[in-house]
Amino acid sequence: MAKQAVAAGILINRARQVLIAERPQGKIYAGYWEFPGGKIEAGESAIAALQRELQEELGIDTQQEDWRLFYQGDRGEEVALSFFIAESERDYAPQGLENQRWQWVALAELSRYRFPEPNTQVLRLLQQEYQEKEQK
């Protein structure tokens, strides 16, 4: 069986806050927080899937963002994850279109939220990258 490909987005606003969403009840890791995104459909690029999922789940159009690949990893035998990052100058006002909660969170505060693996690996890399940027 082929692994399901999933794209997730690390969207950072002008205030250096990251958009996270809570996994809804009835899904694996319900109640955990994650970077929004979802399954990549057949014939769809990872970026197109990410943009579609952000529109469907949170009602935001991120097609103007300059997404770059940040991290790739697996979740067990079934899922291959690609995390993309974009720093935005836009003021997005997400809506929980699938009844999930969402939040803008300061980079330094992300460790206070419970994330599934491998999101925790991505969190460490993200915080490390931005700490290094701020020290320069």
Side-chain angles (χ1 to χ4, degrees), residues 3 31 34-35 54 60 81 90 94 112 120:
K3 287 187 179 189
E34 66 181 352
F35 300 109
L54 288 167
I60 59 175
L81 290 160
R90 292 168 188 79
R112 295 183 181 191
T120 54

Side-chain angles (χ1 to χ4, degrees), residues 17-62:
Q17 296 171 315
V18 180
L19 180 63
I20 60 173
E22 187 178 35
R23 295 205 36 94
Q25 294 302 314
K27 291 195 174 186
I28 189 169
Y29 295 112
Y32 282 66
W33 291 84
E34 66 181 352
F35 300 109
K39 295 176 183 173
I40 301 170
E41 303 295 338
E44 188 175 45
S45 74
I47 298 287
L50 174 60
Q51 292 168 332
R52 175 183 51 75
E53 289 284 346
L54 288 167
Q55 181 71 53
E56 289 174 2
E57 292 178 9
L58 299 169
I60 59 175
D61 180 357
T62 62

Side-chain angles (χ1 to χ4, degrees), residues 73-136:
D74 295 331
R75 188 176 73 210
E77 299 289 319
E78 304 85 33
V79 179
L81 290 160
S82 296
F83 290 85
F84 294 88
I85 189 169
E87 294 182 32
S88 181
E89 291 298 316
R90 292 168 188 79
D91 290 322
Y92 289 110
Q95 308 161 47
L97 299 177
E98 295 182 349
N99 297 319
Q100 78 275 43
R101 294 188 311 162
W102 59 269
Q103 237 171 285
W104 288 104
V105 178
L107 284 163
E109 304 295 314
L110 283 171
S111 58
R112 295 183 181 191
Y113 294 81
R114 187 171 60 161
F115 285 82
E117 284 288 344
N119 286 255
T120 54
Q121 295 167 320
V122 174
L123 287 171
R124 283 191 295 274
L125 293 171
L126 184 63
Q127 289 173 325
Q128 181 180 5
E129 179 173 308
Y130 279 86
Q131 283 173 352
E132 289 171 5
K133 280 185 180 182
E134 288 176 11
Q135 290 173 357
K136 290 181 181 180

Side-chain angles (χ1 to χ4, degrees), residues 64-77:
Q64 295 179 30
E65 299 304 338
D66 183 21
W67 292 101
R68 70 174 167 90
L69 183 63
F70 185 75
Y71 177 87
Q72 286 185 304
D74 295 331
R75 188 176 73 210
E77 299 289 319

